[in-house]
Amino acid sequence: MSETLRIEERDSHVLAVLDRPEKRNAIDQETVDALHRLCARLEVERRTLILAGAGGSFAAGADIAQLRERRAADALAGINTRCFQRIRALPMPVIAVLDGYALGGGAELAYAADIRIGTPTLQIGNPETGLGIIAAAGATWRLQEIVGDALASELLLTGRILGADEALAAGLVSAVLEPEAALARAVELADRVARLDPAATQATKRMLLAPRAAHPEADLAEQAVLFESPEKERRMTAFLERRSKREQA
């Protein structure tokens, strides 16, 4: 249990809410530790994760008071980096609902998700250079993959923050909805994922994370396993039977 990360069990997913509203959900060591414990569970249970923030913010960054005290050894330990890498590598999809501030480490946590849904108040970006550091927990490599080199370079080198409309236009979020509707959309997506074959979903995520040089051989190896699965046989047989019934109607 953690006072900074509220976890709710749902039928199709786990909802994890960053819960330090008085600090705009700034990510501190307790939150990182709680996220690691959650990842340890989801690596075994293999369920979809929805990440959100309490109090009108996703996460306004890392906890600056703690960050100020960190030294070279802490940087090399990758405190936030390793946590966000673990979230990125979870076997099932991760969906982030981005309300209000998603800045610095909060933005990097969002970049680790597979799907991001924004709200009209979203402010997302990486102002780290203004604090004398770099965005070393994922932004310098993940943001390029999401929005392309040109925009990523501009945002990281200038510290410019994107609003909801710009984030949507850049493909940083897939939709912009009012907060309740954004969470509802995330739940709808998690429910949809739950109706699909878990093995195929996990294989798809592995291929999305695989380096470009691994394709297409890695895809074909995954497909070879799935082609032999009883679930593939069951689902395709059910599809053909439904189509046959429609044609006969």
Side-chain angles (χ1 to χ4, degrees):
M1 298 294 291
S2 168
E3 293 183 358
T4 66
L5 188 70
R6 175 164 39 90
I7 297 174
E8 300 179 16
E9 306 291 335
R10 305 289 180 87
D11 290 339
S12 64
H13 62 278
V14 172
L15 172 64
V17 180
L18 302 172
D19 198 9
R20 298 182 75 206
E22 73 285 356
K23 299 288 186 180
R24 292 177 175 168
N25 303 323
I27 299 169
D28 63 354
Q29 186 64 58
E30 183 180 347
T31 304
V32 168
D33 292 342
L35 286 169
H36 273 298
R37 290 193 296 271
L38 178 59
C39 285
R41 273 188 50 203
L42 296 179
E43 288 160 356
V44 175
E45 295 179 10
R46 302 193 169 208
R47 301 178 66 195
T48 294
L49 172 63
I50 296 177
L51 289 168
S57 284
F58 179 68
D63 188 296
I64 301 301
Q66 290 187 4
L67 204 58
R68 185 181 60 181
E69 302 307 312
R70 292 178 183 170
R71 294 296 181 262
D74 300 303
L76 294 174
I79 294 170
N80 287 1
T81 305
R82 303 307 178 203
C83 178
F84 299 166
Q85 283 182 309
R86 198 171 183 183
I87 289 168
R88 181 66 176 146
L90 284 173
M92 289 292 281
V94 178
I95 305 169
V97 178
L98 308 178
D99 188 21
Y101 292 116
L103 302 175
E108 291 176 302
L109 175 57
Y111 304 155
D114 299 290
I115 301 169
R116 288 166 294 278
I117 302 168
T119 74
T121 62
L122 175 62
Q123 296 284 306
I124 186 167
N126 293 91
E128 281 90 341
T129 51
L131 295 172
I133 59 174
I134 68 170
T140 56
W141 67 94
R142 289 201 184 99
L143 191 57
Q144 291 174 313
E145 296 171 354
I146 298 168
V147 303
D149 290 348
L151 183 56
S153 295
E154 178 192 336
L155 297 178
L156 292 172
L157 291 171
T158 68
R160 187 164 73 84
I161 306 303
L162 296 184
D165 290 342
E166 282 188 290
L168 180 62
L172 192 48
V173 295
S174 60
V176 173
L177 301 166
E178 293 296 332
E180 287 187 8
L183 182 57
R185 173 68 62 85
V187 171
E188 177 186 330
L189 293 174
D191 289 344
R192 183 181 179 87
V193 168
R195 294 193 294 270
L196 307 176
D197 176 23
T201 300
Q202 291 167 43
T204 299
K205 178 162 181 179
R206 285 194 294 272
M207 292 304 91
L208 286 168
L209 295 180
R212 184 174 293 274
H215 303 287
E217 284 74 16
D219 305 73
L220 300 179
E222 293 280 2
Q223 194 78 302
V225 173
L226 293 169
F227 269 20
E228 298 293 332
S229 72
E231 185 64 8
K232 172 248 191 180
E233 182 78 16
R234 186 191 72 78
R235 286 175 176 265
M236 289 192 176
T237 299
F239 173 85
L240 292 172
E241 288 175 350
R242 289 194 301 270
R243 187 173 71 179
S244 178
K245 288 179 181 178
R246 286 195 302 268
E247 291 173 349
Q248 294 172 9

